[in-house]
Amino acid sequence: ADFTAFLETVHPEDRERVSQAYNEAVINRSFYEVEHRLLFPDGRVKHVLERGEPQYDAQGKPVRFIGTSLDITERKAFEKQLTLLNYAVDRVKDTVWLTGEDAHFYYVNKEACNTLGYTYDEMLGLGIPNIDPDYHQERWPDIWRDLKANGSLTFESCHRTKDGRIFPVEINANYFEFDGQGYNLVLARDITERKRIEEALANREQKLRSLAESSPGMMGSFHFRPDGSVCMPYVSANIWDLFGLRPEDVVDNAESLLALNHPGDAQRVSESIAESARTMTTWHEEYRILHPILGERWMEGHTNPEPHPDGGIVWYGYVHDITERKRAEADKQRLINILEQSADFVGIADMQ
């Protein structure tokens, strides 16, 4: 076929490159290889890989090309998907790697290199034993069997960087098989900050426990989870005196505590908690509850919010009974009202 006619079938964006490959092969009397797209009249596009060499007549004039044209459309689609996958994985902020049963790295993402301080080529020369100080060769076969049996494992471990720094990580390991070979795809997340928060929370709860022993009010932590549920991981024993509940009643689900709020105050309390969560400011409210035994009681709460490492917000603080104070205030106000409505002057004078 005429070369000009052939070139018309080549995708417009590839014509210059194809023409250059053909011309160089003619001039150099050499073999050529070029990948390009064909554009069909109906709009379809195919990727082809052409290999061949020019043929010449007795006078040295090029007369034809002999070679092969291989349809690589599916291969190019797969390569595009693989490129997209690599692009996406390289933008994951977690460390990602692929190993086999030998614990050697077959693939790592860019974050793995950045976090651990190695180049990509250096990482491919390493394996789990080089970055995990908790790795024990004698235990690895058991871990691999567990992973293969369960399909996935999630646990905490540590990683060691090239310069020797060790930091905690959460490992999510996933087993799969490809072409008869078992592989382990791992996502590892740096949990240094989460561990710091957990330690701070543990210290805070320990202080609460110490204060609760000498406090007449209820000390505790109130966790508003990401799914909207609430619980009290720690609460002092005198929750029984104030609310008629036991600590175990609210440790996993504190709805029973919220259900005691007086109908006239429940919405205000709920809205004030939401506002405290939104602004991360102190929650301070005076409100009524309906105690299951004592009836209507007044409470005052004072708590401070903090982010929880597992998500959501946790408040630390105290609640105490102010019923007697409220009654005294009400009695005082009633007396003032009576005196103000009296036609006579009532007062105290110093006769000296």
Side-chain angles (χ1 to χ4, degrees):
D2 180 76
F3 181 72
T4 302
F6 160 73
L7 205 59
E8 286 296 317
T9 67
V10 175
H11 194 286
E13 295 178 1
D14 297 344
R15 287 173 187 171
E16 182 178 349
R17 181 163 50 83
V18 171
S19 180
Q20 180 180 351
Y22 274 68
N23 289 335
E24 288 179 354
V26 169
I27 294 171
N28 299 322
R29 293 177 174 266
S30 61
F31 178 85
Y32 75 90
E33 179 177 310
V34 63
E35 290 185 9
H36 65 85
R37 291 166 292 177
L38 297 176
L39 179 61
F40 292 87
D42 61 2
R44 289 181 299 117
V45 175
K46 281 191 174 183
H47 290 262
V48 295
L49 170 62
E50 288 189 14
R51 295 190 179 99
E53 57 183 343
Q55 300 292 303
Y56 305 85
D57 59 17
Q59 287 75 41
K61 180 180 179 181
V63 292
R64 69 178 66 86
F65 282 89
I66 296 179
T68 61
S69 180
L70 178 66
D71 186 344
I72 59 171
T73 303
E74 289 187 5
R75 193 193 81 187
K76 296 299 287 188
F78 176 76
E79 289 176 353
K80 183 177 181 180
Q81 291 176 345
L82 186 60
T83 299
L84 175 61
L85 177 61
N86 284 335
Y87 182 86
V89 172
D90 274 342
R91 275 148 185 80
V92 172
K93 291 306 179 183
D94 293 333
T95 295
V96 179
W97 73 66
L98 182 68
T99 70
E101 190 172 359
D102 59 359
H104 185 83
F105 293 136
Y106 296 133
Y107 167 82
V108 297
N109 72 339
K110 188 176 295 184
E111 185 65 18
C113 300
N114 293 340
T115 300
L116 297 169
Y118 294 96
T119 66
Y120 182 79
D121 290 338
E122 286 175 331
M123 286 293 294
L124 294 188
L126 303 176
I128 297 176
N130 302 106
I131 68 164
D132 187 348
D134 295 334
Y135 176 88
H136 298 284
Q137 179 62 44
E138 65 274 11
R139 291 172 49 199
W140 177 249
D142 293 332
I143 295 174
W144 185 261
R145 279 193 296 271
D146 288 345
L147 177 60
K148 185 175 181 179
N150 291 283
S152 65
L153 295 173
T154 300
F155 55 93
E156 293 184 4
S157 185
C158 290
H159 279 172
R160 180 175 50 226
T161 63
K162 186 177 182 179
D163 61 10
R165 180 175 64 88
I166 296 177
F167 59 95
V169 292
E170 181 181 75
I171 300 291
N172 178 246
N174 302 271
Y175 178 84
F176 68 95
E177 293 185 358
F178 179 77
D179 199 22
Q181 179 72 35
Y183 294 94
N184 175 25
L185 180 65
V186 170
L187 284 79
R189 173 167 297 179
D190 185 341
I191 56 173
T192 301
E193 180 62 14
R194 191 176 85 186
K195 285 295 186 182
R196 185 194 67 78
I197 294 175
E198 286 178 352
E199 183 178 359
L201 292 180
N203 291 337
R204 181 67 60 84
E205 290 193 1
Q206 183 56 47
K207 290 180 180 178
L208 280 177
R209 293 175 190 272
S210 299
L211 289 172
E213 295 177 359
S214 58
S215 172
M218 180 188 78
M219 309 290 289
S221 56
F222 183 86
H223 183 197
F224 190 90
R225 300 188 184 104
D227 63 3
S229 63
V230 293
C231 66
M232 297 191 72
Y234 168 71
V235 63
S236 56
N238 50 7
I239 186 176
W240 173 259
D241 299 322
L242 271 67
F243 293 94
L245 296 171
R246 297 166 299 178
E248 55 266 31
D249 296 330
V250 296
V251 65
D252 294 319
N253 187 342
E255 290 294 340
S256 57
L257 179 68
L258 298 179
L260 296 178
N261 289 339
H262 192 287
D265 296 346
Q267 183 174 348
R268 174 170 57 84
V269 171
S270 178
E271 290 174 353
S272 66
I273 292 174
E275 180 66 10
S276 175
R278 186 184 69 82
T279 60
M280 293 301 286
T281 54
T282 297
W283 180 75
H284 181 209
E285 283 292 328
E286 294 181 0
Y287 61 100
R288 292 167 294 170
I289 69 163
L290 296 177
H291 192 285
I293 299 173
L294 304 177
E296 183 178 300
R297 308 291 291 179
W298 275 93
M299 299 293 164
E300 180 180 27
H302 194 285
T303 61
N304 294 305
E306 294 182 8
H308 194 282
D310 294 332
I313 298 171
V314 59
W315 284 262
Y316 292 97
Y318 68 90
V319 176
H320 65 118
D321 191 321
I322 59 171
T323 304
E324 295 307 316
R325 191 190 83 192
K326 283 292 186 178
R327 287 175 179 170
E329 290 174 355
D331 290 342
K332 178 181 178 181
Q333 187 59 50
R334 279 195 296 270
L335 178 59
I336 292 173
N337 292 339
I338 292 172
L339 295 177
E340 288 179 347
Q341 294 171 9
S342 174
D344 299 326
F345 172 78
V346 178
I348 298 175
D350 188 350
M351 301 303 294
Q352 295 181 352

